[in-house]
Amino acid sequence: MIKFAYSILYVSDVKKTAEFYSKTFGFEVRFIAPGDEYAELSTGTTTLSFAALPLAKSNLRDGFQESSLQSKPFGMELGFTTVDVPALVEKALSNGATLLEEPKEKPWGQVVAYVRDLEGFLIEICTPMD
């Protein structure tokens, strides 16, 4: 059986990014490697991980596109559900996130907002779909 185990974001500051996600979304920091090159957060069924840019570059000899607040977000997002989207958006902003789209109710009834984290990764904050 194949299981979706984790996502790794390549970031300039592993510890600061892990702290942002822990403080904003309440995820437990499970592990930070010596030298702050890698961290893992427990999110429930999957793991959200962060790798320092130099570590990521050592794994990919042809490099990769770095996330940056000065560029448009990548064509992907992290999605987190909550029953109170406006409150979680405000918490994210108070912890350093950048607002892209205010909470809006979609035609199918879901409330959705978009922020970017400290490194520029796109985050969707939304109500659960029942």
Side-chain angles (χ1 to χ4, degrees):
M1 172 162 153
I2 298 172
K3 177 184 171 190
F4 180 50
Y6 54 86
S7 293
I8 302 174
L9 303 181
Y10 299 156
V11 299
S12 62
D13 192 325
V14 168
K15 190 172 183 179
K16 188 174 179 182
T17 303
E19 287 172 355
F20 166 80
Y21 280 87
S22 180
K23 287 194 311 194
T24 301
F25 301 105
F27 301 140
E28 177 188 345
V29 177
R30 181 168 47 199
F31 173 77
I32 296 182
D36 299 336
E37 288 189 316
Y38 180 80
E40 292 184 351
L41 300 180
S42 297
T43 66
T45 57
T46 60
T47 299
L48 180 57
S49 305
F50 309 100
L53 294 174
L55 176 61
K57 289 175 183 176
S58 74
N59 293 331
L60 300 168
R61 83 182 127 175
D62 290 333
F64 54 90
Q65 180 68 42
E66 292 182 26
S67 183
S68 166
L69 286 168
Q70 287 68 46
S71 303
K72 288 184 179 183
F74 298 130
M76 57 85 54
E77 63 189 54
L78 299 175
F80 302 112
T81 59
T82 181
V83 294
D84 191 347
V85 172
L88 188 52
V89 167
E90 285 305 313
K91 188 173 186 181
L93 297 178
S94 71
N95 286 318
T98 303
L99 181 66
L100 284 186
E101 297 292 337
E102 294 276 354
K104 291 183 218 169
E105 186 170 342
K106 298 294 186 179
W108 52 90
Q110 187 180 35
V111 176
V112 178
Y114 293 93
V115 300
R116 292 182 79 184
D117 74 6
L118 308 176
E119 299 273 343
F121 289 97
L122 183 61
I123 299 171
E124 177 182 324
I125 299 173
C126 60
T127 52
M129 292 293 297
D130 294 323

